[in-house]
Amino acid sequence: MSFSTLGLAEPLVRALEAKGYTQPTPIQQQAIPTLLQGRDLLGIAQTGTGKTAAFVLPSLQRLDEAGKRPLPYHCRMLVLTPTRELATQIADNARDYAKFSRFAVATVFGGTSINKNRQDMARGVDLLVATPGRLIDLIEQRYVNLSMLEILVLDEADQMLDLGFIHALRRIVTLLPKQRQSLFFSATMPKTIRTLADQFLTDPATVAIKPAATTAERVDQFVTFVGQKEKQALLTIKLGDPGIERALVFTRTKHGADRVVKLLGGNGIAAHAIHGNKSQPQRERALAAFKSGQVRVLVATDIAARGIDVSGVSHVFNFELPNVPEQYVHRIGRTARAGASGVAISFCADDERPYLRDIERVTRQKVTIEPLPADFVARSHEIQATRKKAIGADPAPREDRERGPRRPRATHKAVPAGGARRPGGGNRHGDARRPEGEQPRRDAHGDRRPNRSGEARAAAHDGQRQPQRPQGGRPAGAQDGQHKPHRGGDNRPQGGQHADGRRNDGQPARDRRRPGANHHRGQRRPQAV
């Protein structure tokens, strides 16, 4: 069977041939004809099975046959993904498939310039790939309009739920037209995913692809029992093997990933880290260097477990075992792409043995125990001495608290109409400080925390309520003979106030410890579309 026999148009088939694709995968064989008919689809397939082409190719053909043009700030097809890396990967593939067609493809996700997103959306796009957090930011600022959407794709739905995106997804769906085609893809299908699919889809066709061998069966798995403090030396020894072409090293925390990179560098092993605290340019540079072979070691948190599709990853190291056993399967799957085999090596400290038992229960396999090297103690001291000469004493590891399964985060509420927003939206510190999964800042009640101007923050710091300026330009209370506070911080008496600081109405004067803290310039105007 070829792609042309599935009913794809000639420009798409030509683009596939340019990429070297001639034979469709099982999910492509089953999904493409169904999607060309316009039906909703529920797809159950692991990463690496060709899902992206399965939903992008027929969708592009249907958009072309409809013959419409996107309106400014509108998109015709929306693909929602949980991570930035996965969004970039899908968009790059879509551009390749649309090589001989006139389709505009754009991405929006945290860590990038929101003005760039606005410029990309100004003329409208055919296909938009987005993460939920940034998409909601742009919708609130009227830089994205979903009212004319024709096709919705939800990719990696199970990870969406793991990262707490369920409420954001439901909110986005309320903004979509009811007459649309919806596609829903997930690697697993627990009851929660099935319930969500029932809410999103209408009479869907179901395509379930069971791989010839599970990820756990394709990967040679080993575990070494080692103390937490000795893991770094063991990793350095393992990475000294010249047979390792590319290696992914997984840690549980962002701080742990940075620490591993620094200590490896002290022993002459170049490595990059990728996690949620890295800026988007840093993450892109790290991934590009890893793909090109400039560095052969990439240290990552679980944000990379599904968002990285790099051929030639020969080894995966679990520097720390995940506390959610399903994440273990996603991690080791980075080395068994497109039916290839790979090696997964886990380091297990005494307090991680329960995690190992959970993993073996989920995979239904016993992980082969690999002992420490015979001369491990001597080599460990030598490695540490070499590193100490290069970078000094090792930084102390951050104490890792016991963690249970990740619980979904509460959603944020919509900003009221006319409410003040910071230009650029979202977190005033930038998305690099957001938790992994693109979640916006929230207050103690789980609501989205609005951004405030410097004056508003100063007023909050001093315990003052910020006065609201009514229409007409005068502060509240001015009609009663009160005058607006002086901008400066001196003690000159003002109209309506005694020289000793008391007001004429007998109330104490406002606190002037922070000059200008009580002055309000009115709400910030929303930016024009």
Side-chain angles (χ1 to χ4, degrees), residues 192-251:
T192 52
I193 296 293
R194 178 70 66 174
T195 302
L196 187 64
D198 292 340
Q199 298 172 0
F200 280 34
L201 306 176
T202 302
D203 187 26
T206 301
V207 174
I209 301 299
K210 182 175 178 59
T214 64
T215 299
E217 293 170 344
R218 295 197 306 269
V219 179
D220 297 328
Q221 303 170 67
F222 302 94
V223 61
T224 299
F225 296 103
V226 59
Q228 189 67 36
K229 295 182 178 179
E230 285 75 39
K231 285 185 177 183
Q232 186 71 36
L234 181 59
L235 178 64
T236 303
I237 293 172
K238 293 290 186 182
L239 292 176
D241 182 358
I244 297 179
E245 300 172 7
R246 284 192 181 95
L248 265 172
V249 180
F250 283 101
T251 64

Side-chain angles (χ1 to χ4, degrees), residues 15-177:
L16 289 169
E17 292 174 349
K19 286 179 67 67
Y21 298 156
T22 56
Q23 297 294 323
T25 64
I27 191 172
Q28 293 164 2
Q29 294 177 20
Q30 296 186 40
I32 289 176
T34 301
L35 294 179
L36 287 175
Q37 298 173 8
R39 291 192 62 184
D40 286 5
L41 180 76
L42 174 60
I44 308 170
Q46 296 179 346
T47 57
T49 56
K51 282 188 304 178
T52 302
F55 64 76
V56 170
L57 290 170
S59 297
L60 290 179
Q61 181 158 327
R62 293 198 69 238
L63 294 177
D64 185 55
E65 291 172 349
K68 298 179 182 179
R69 299 292 299 172
L71 298 175
Y73 298 101
H74 286 67
C75 65
R76 302 178 64 197
M77 176 179 176
L78 172 65
V79 181
L80 289 173
T81 69
T83 66
R84 307 174 189 180
E85 282 70 30
L86 186 56
T88 300
Q89 175 185 313
I90 292 173
D92 289 344
N93 286 330
R95 293 186 182 99
D96 290 340
Y97 300 146
K99 183 176 181 180
F100 302 106
S101 307
R102 291 186 177 182
F103 289 107
V105 180
T107 57
V108 295
F109 46 75
T112 58
S113 167
I114 207 162
N115 287 328
K116 175 65 163 57
N117 297 156
R118 178 182 60 81
Q119 294 170 6
D120 291 341
M121 294 299 302
R123 294 185 178 181
V125 297
D126 295 288
L127 193 158
L128 177 65
V129 188
T131 53
R134 175 53 66 87
L135 179 63
I136 289 178
D137 282 346
L138 292 169
I139 291 173
E140 289 175 347
Q141 298 184 55
R142 301 181 182 180
Y143 293 156
V144 171
N145 189 315
L146 303 178
S147 62
M148 304 296 291
L149 191 79
E150 301 171 46
I151 302 173
L152 169 69
V153 181
L154 182 61
D155 196 19
E156 301 289 1
D158 47 354
Q159 192 180 18
M160 289 276 199
L161 294 189
D162 291 342
L163 294 174
F165 281 128
I166 177 63
H167 299 294
L169 294 176
R170 286 173 176 161
R171 181 183 172 198
I172 291 171
V173 169
T174 62
L175 305 174
L176 305 179

Side-chain angles (χ1 to χ4, degrees), residues 171-192:
R171 181 183 172 198
I172 291 171
V173 169
T174 62
L175 305 174
L176 305 179
K178 293 184 178 180
Q179 295 298 322
R180 66 176 190 272
Q181 184 181 21
S182 299
L183 320 179
F184 196 99
F185 288 91
S186 179
T188 58
M189 192 53 58
K191 184 177 179 181
T192 52

Side-chain angles (χ1 to χ4, degrees), residues 239 242-249 287-298 310-317 334-335 343:
L239 292 176
I244 297 179
E245 300 172 7
R246 284 192 181 95
L248 265 172
V249 180
L287 191 55
F290 185 61
K291 286 183 177 181
S292 66
Q294 182 180 348
V295 296
R296 65 187 184 103
V297 180
L298 184 66
V310 180
S311 60
V313 176
S314 58
H315 290 68
V316 166
F317 289 90
R334 298 308 96 194
T335 184
V343 178

Side-chain angles (χ1 to χ4, degrees), residues 404-527:
R406 187 192 298 265
R407 291 182 293 181
R409 299 184 178 94
T411 186
H412 56 274
K413 296 181 179 179
V415 176
R421 290 194 56 82
R422 180 183 182 86
N427 190 335
R428 67 186 178 90
H429 296 293
D431 284 282
R433 293 195 184 182
R434 284 183 177 174
E436 296 183 34
E438 303 292 329
Q439 291 296 303
R441 290 161 58 90
R442 291 166 172 65
D443 61 19
H445 302 288
D447 293 340
R448 187 180 186 117
R449 187 184 305 173
N451 292 297
R452 298 175 295 180
S453 65
E455 294 176 347
R457 291 194 297 273
H461 178 77
D462 288 338
Q464 302 290 341
R465 179 179 296 274
Q466 198 171 359
Q468 299 297 316
R469 181 187 292 273
Q471 291 184 352
R474 301 188 66 189
Q479 292 83 352
D480 297 330
Q482 298 178 20
H483 291 256
K484 63 181 181 180
H486 182 61
R487 289 180 182 268
D490 59 17
N491 294 319
R492 291 179 297 173
Q494 302 295 319
Q497 180 175 321
H498 294 292
D500 59 359
R502 291 180 297 106
R503 293 192 338 205
N504 285 341
D505 56 5
Q507 298 297 323
R510 295 191 175 188
D511 191 351
R512 295 185 180 276
R513 288 174 297 172
R514 294 172 63 95
N518 298 316
H519 185 73
H520 182 59
R521 298 188 180 183
Q523 295 180 337
R524 186 185 298 274
R525 295 180 181 176
Q527 294 182 351

Side-chain angles (χ1 to χ4, degrees), residues 232-238 263 266-267 376-389 394:
Q232 186 71 36
L234 181 59
L235 178 64
T236 303
I237 293 172
K238 293 290 186 182
L263 297 184
N267 288 114
F376 176 70
V377 175
R379 294 180 68 181
S380 175
H381 291 319
E382 181 182 345
I383 289 170
Q384 188 171 13
T386 302
R387 188 168 62 237
K388 187 174 182 179
K389 290 181 180 179
D394 292 350

